[in-house]
Amino acid sequence: MIRWIFTFVLLPFFSFSLTRGCNLFSSNFSSISIALHRRGEFFLWCLLCGGFFYSQLSLYRPRQAKCCLLLLTAAALLPYTPEYLPVCATLHTLLALAAALLFLYNLFYLSLQFYLSSPAPARYSQTPSNTAFFSKLTHSLDSPAARGRLPCLLLLWTSCVFCLDSWILSGIINSAMEICLTLTAGVLFWLFFPSLRLASNHPHSLL
């Protein structure tokens, strides 16, 4: 229930609230935070999203979750004021980008694991791990259960295509991209990834 509230109520509300009065494709959360009266909202959004996604990602990849949280925290603490502190602004941008890319990598990792999470034939456990991975990938292409998990990968790929197109057209990392990644991650952790904890306990699982 709490995960549902975060995914479909709190994350969308605070994300769109932060961008009110701004063009989604010509602004981003960092530029919005420059205004003194919006900094509190920006830090609240960082706390909300950072805390929620850390709690979710740490269930599957705790070290990666800590790295993402540290990068996001460092980015949020550095002021984004290009006119007065250009070095801090550059570091803020690089840290925020690193946090987003690392988080996106983990989403792809978990999505692929989810796609391959159907129980593997017992013979795969007798082969080397890299060989077993590709054997299971080939097996999954013909598996009805695996094909039923395709929406997970399609959702993430669609989100990435939208973000890439948005970046190409606008020339910046904009609010639309940030909101898209936030909402996509929320849906993935709510709808798809919980079953990974069950698959990881299977004796022939590759997770």
Side-chain angles (χ1 to χ4, degrees), residues 79-133:
Y80 183 77
T81 52
E83 296 181 359
Y84 303 103
L85 297 171
V87 176
C88 287
T90 300
L91 288 175
H92 169 95
T93 302
L94 293 176
L95 288 170
L97 180 61
L101 291 177
L102 181 59
F103 185 61
L104 184 60
Y105 161 76
N106 281 280
L107 291 181
F108 269 107
Y109 179 89
L110 292 175
S111 296
L112 183 59
Q113 295 292 345
F114 173 77
Y115 177 72
L116 299 174
S117 61
S118 57
R123 65 178 181 275
Y124 294 158
S125 61
Q126 306 300 323
T127 61
S129 58
N130 57 336
T131 305
F133 174 82

Side-chain angles (χ1 to χ4, degrees), residues 4 12 18 24 27 31 34 65 68 75 130 139 150-151 156 166 168 181 183 204:
W4 186 93
L18 186 60
L24 293 178
S27 66
S31 62
I34 293 177
C68 288
N130 57 336
H139 169 77
L150 275 177
L156 187 54
S166 178
I168 292 174
L181 179 60
L183 301 186
H204 302 306

